[in-house]
Amino acid sequence: MGQTLVEKIISLHTDNPVKAGELVIARVDVTAVQDGTGPLTVQEFKKLGKEKLFNPQRTILFIDHASPSPRKELSNTHTVLRDFAKEYGAFLSEVGQGVCHQRLVESFVNPGEILIGADSHTCTSGALGAFATGMGSTDVAVGMALGKTWLKVPQTFKIVVNGKFKAGISAKDLMLHIIGTLGADGATYKALEFTGETIDNMEMAERFTLANMAVEAGAKCGLFVADDKTRNYLKEKGREDKFKQILPDKDAYYERVINIDASQIDYTVSCPHTVDNTKLATELSDIKVDQVYVGTCTNGRIEDLRIVGNILKGNKVNDDVRMLICPASKDVYLKALDEGLIKTFVEANATILPPGCGPCVGVHAGTLADGEVCLTTQNRNFQGRMGNTQGSIYLSSPYVAAYTALRGYISTK
Amino acid sequence: MKGKAFKFGDNISTDHIAPGRLFHLRSNLQEFSKHVLEDADPDFAKNMRKGDFVVAGKNFGLGSSREHAPQIIKIAGVSAVIAKSFARIFYRNAINIGLLAIECDTDAIDAGDELDLDIQKGILKDLTNGAIMQIEPLPPVMIQLLNDGGLVEHIKKNGDFKLV
């Protein structure tokens, strides 16, 4: 029996080839934390009594969740991360540099590697052909100290997507459709391996969106075979030499194979308060919206901002809507400036937020009022997610978000 | 172990357990624990007593990797979370920090029932209505970690992983 992609990648990090179901100790290439989980990681790391990080250059601390800090308690936790990075030689990604998952794919993670991160959306890096998974602070603390972690090798669901999206439809619609079909726990503990002609033709930005949301179906990771698109992405980021293609075996065992026809996917929206509560956007045209948020590790990339820019150009955001736009990283921000997108957004009366998580985590910069409705390009709509249990959150693609901002109701045109 | 059941539904997220709006309390877990599960049941922290059980439906703990979620359940004094199923990261975090996470069909349990959990025998008894439930056995790796007092203690004791 051959190996799936995730079995192949994990096998490169163990002494013996692995198969699904086995418990293994695997070498870890990159460890990451953010300002929400990092301070607890630092505390647990210190309990371990290790004097050094296993691999300081590839231990990354991100300040992105409450960034810049809205209150002194959080400022103090940022200090904990800054001091730790200095003392142990870890890499610190400061305020304004961007969301950890975007920064990780831009600068830190390579095909064939293993990343463990203390953030559930760590699975984003799987789009590069890496095994990337979210864990808690303690697991990552141990990974930082020992350069390894324990894993149960997951079974794989193969998601085969063929056909061409209709105009305006994107990976976000596809992923919301997949989660709506599988359910919020439909892929718990599984790896999702994305393949098919639609995936082959898809740019990295959209692959990141798919991998990012694997966890919303409960999955441990979402992965893609690294190909020419991956190579070009790495080349653009100055590390083409890190390209490596690992292919699953033809006779690999897949627990489930899910076939999807991309041409059948329509504008899809997750309704409150779970990601799997999906409906077609056209069924929601009577939902009045108070705030629209474009950004996050799911859809805050330059490709997403271009879609929004095309729709907003020369138009004004609806008078009853506040529109917030947050580039996922400094690099994305600079590109958006160069391309005139920021000007378009500001002229349309949108508010630009500094690169980071923005209001997605409910800490600052766009907390909802009681009874308010937000449509957002983020990945989660749990009750209270954006700082108020009395708010309602709908998830969509950047395309739907842009039209909704103009119309004031959930809209696709 | 005996205690009262506090009943919750399916898909209780880490936002229900440890809300993002209280992000600043992550550096003060004692204080944070006074708000545990607040967004699912505002009175839970006030009404529960040390040793009581959190009883839930499927996919308990979905969402964020925040380890503060199991931490504040433990600090509040909950003896175990009993659910039909758990989200992956929450389950792993719970065991890593020494919080019992038990898989079991919870349909027969009503809010306020007195429960008796016997881990050795793998039996959960509802003393109020007489129901007797078989719990799912914990995976060996989890038993090992729990016996060592969590992942940090396991590594301190062995200097390395000693799980396989």
Side-chain angles (χ1 to χ4, degrees), chain A residues 35 63-79 82 94-96 354 363-365, chain B residues 23-24:
Chain A
D35 48 328
I63 299 181
D64 58 356
H65 275 58
S67 161
S69 169
R71 53 191 298 168
K72 65 178 181 182
E73 295 90 339
L74 296 169
S75 308
N76 289 336
T77 61
H78 291 174
T79 303
R82 290 187 186 107
E94 261 293 354
V95 171
V363 190
H364 66 159
Chain B
F23 208 85
H24 59 286

Side-chain angles (χ1 to χ4, degrees), chain A residues 23-25 34-37 40 43-44 47-50 65-66 71 73-74 77 117-120 133-139 142 146 148-152 184-185 188-189 215-216 218-221 274 276 361-363 380 382-385 387-389, chain B residues 10-11 13-16 19-27 29 38-40 58-59 62-69 71 85-89 91-93 95-97 103 139-142 144-145 150-156 159-164:
Chain A
L23 182 82
V24 300
I25 307 297
Q34 32 89 345
D35 48 328
T37 58
L40 188 53
Q43 181 188 307
E44 298 305 300
K47 282 187 196 162
L48 291 167
K50 301 277 175 188
H65 275 58
R71 53 191 298 168
E73 295 90 339
L74 296 169
T77 61
D119 188 286
S120 58
T133 194
M135 291 184 178
S137 296
T138 299
D139 270 316
V142 170
L146 303 180
K148 46 191 168 181
T149 192
W150 75 266
L151 298 169
K152 193 173 167 198
D185 61 350
T188 299
Y189 290 107
V215 68
E216 305 310 330
K220 191 168 200 157
C221 61
T274 53
D276 59 359
V361 210
V363 190
R380 238 169 228 161
F382 303 151
Q383 190 173 18
R385 173 78 182 177
N388 187 344
T389 54
Chain B
D10 294 338
N11 291 321
S13 76
T14 53
D15 280 290
H16 287 113
R21 69 190 157 75
L22 301 173
F23 208 85
H24 59 286
L25 293 180
R26 290 187 186 191
S27 51
L29 293 178
E38 188 169 277
D39 285 355
K58 63 175 187 140
N59 207 21
L62 83 158
S64 151
S65 70
R66 63 189 77 154
E67 199 169 291
H68 316 77
Q71 284 276 12
S85 63
F86 290 90
R88 180 185 69 81
I89 305 177
Y91 186 74
R92 189 171 165 132
N93 284 344
I95 305 299
N96 276 346
I97 64 145
E103 282 192 335
V141 56
M142 295 303 187
Q144 214 175 331
L145 288 175
L151 181 61
V152 166
E153 294 306 316
H154 173 82
I155 300 292
K156 277 166 75 176
D160 202 339
F161 285 105
K162 216 166 182 181
L163 295 169
V164 282

Side-chain angles (χ1 to χ4, degrees), chain B residues 24-36:
Chain B
H24 59 286
L25 293 180
R26 290 187 186 191
S27 51
N28 184 353
L29 293 178
Q30 285 295 340
E31 189 59 32
F32 206 174
S33 71
K34 294 176 190 166
H35 300 272
V36 62

Side-chain angles (χ1 to χ4, degrees), chain A residues 103-373:
Chain A
R103 296 284 297 114
L104 281 164
V105 298
E106 282 175 354
S107 305
F108 298 101
V109 180
N110 303 311
E113 292 188 334
I114 290 186
L115 158 69
I116 60 170
D119 188 286
S120 58
H121 296 111
T122 300
C123 46
T124 313
S125 290
L128 291 169
F131 173 75
T133 194
M135 291 184 178
S137 296
T138 299
D139 270 316
V140 176
V142 170
M144 281 162 51
L146 303 180
K148 46 191 168 181
T149 192
W150 75 266
L151 298 169
K152 193 173 167 198
V153 181
Q155 294 283 354
T156 298
F157 287 1
K158 184 170 168 175
I159 308 217
V160 189
V161 192
N162 287 304
K164 215 172 158 226
F165 286 134
K166 287 180 271 201
I169 304 293
S170 67
K172 182 63 167 288
D173 300 293
L174 170 63
M175 198 57 195
L176 295 180
H177 169 81
I178 290 171
I179 296 161
T181 309
L182 282 174
D185 61 350
T188 299
Y189 290 107
K190 312 299 179 192
L192 303 182
E193 191 179 306
F194 292 91
T195 179
E197 66 178 43
T198 316
I199 303 298
D200 293 342
N201 293 326
M202 194 177 266
E203 295 302 327
M204 291 309 298
E206 291 196 82
R207 294 182 188 178
F208 292 135
T209 302
L210 294 178
N212 175 269
M213 292 195 73
V215 68
E216 305 310 330
K220 191 168 200 157
C221 61
L223 314 94
F224 294 70
V225 169
D227 59 9
D228 283 344
K229 305 259 189 206
T230 323
R231 184 198 293 272
N232 289 339
Y233 182 83
L234 292 169
K235 189 176 175 185
E236 190 194 310
K237 304 297 174 201
R239 53 185 209 284
E240 192 185 5
D241 60 317
K242 302 293 185 194
F243 177 79
K244 180 196 266 186
Q245 186 179 56
I246 299 161
L247 294 165
D249 290 323
K250 292 220 158 41
D251 59 346
Y253 171 74
Y254 293 94
E255 187 176 310
R256 206 171 146 188
V257 178
I258 297 165
N259 286 290
I260 297 171
D261 178 354
S263 69
Q264 296 302 305
I265 304 294
D266 285 307
Y267 300 110
T268 306
V269 172
S270 295
C271 302
H273 298 289
T274 53
V275 184
D276 59 359
N277 185 18
T278 52
K279 288 201 167 82
L280 295 182
T282 46
E283 298 175 87
L284 300 165
S285 55
D286 58 339
I287 303 289
K288 192 176 184 307
V289 169
D290 302 288
Q291 178 169 292
V292 170
Y293 174 43
V294 172
T296 77
C297 49
T298 318
N299 280 118
R301 282 170 273 279
I302 190 66
E303 293 82 354
D304 301 310
L305 300 189
R306 282 178 193 141
I307 290 167
V308 174
N310 277 336
I311 296 166
L312 292 192
K313 193 158 184 67
N315 294 305
K316 298 278 186 243
V317 170
N318 186 281
D319 284 345
D320 293 335
V321 175
R322 309 177 299 271
M323 187 180 201
L324 309 175
I325 301 178
C326 183
S329 72
K330 175 185 149 183
D331 279 5
V332 173
Y333 201 170
L334 284 169
K335 273 196 190 127
L337 279 166
D338 279 348
E339 295 180 20
L341 290 166
I342 301 295
K343 186 161 191 279
T344 299
F345 298 153
V346 174
E347 282 176 348
N349 293 331
T351 301
I352 311 300
L353 299 175
C357 301
C360 174
V361 210
V363 190
H364 66 159
T367 307
L368 300 180
D370 293 346
E372 280 196 334
V373 172

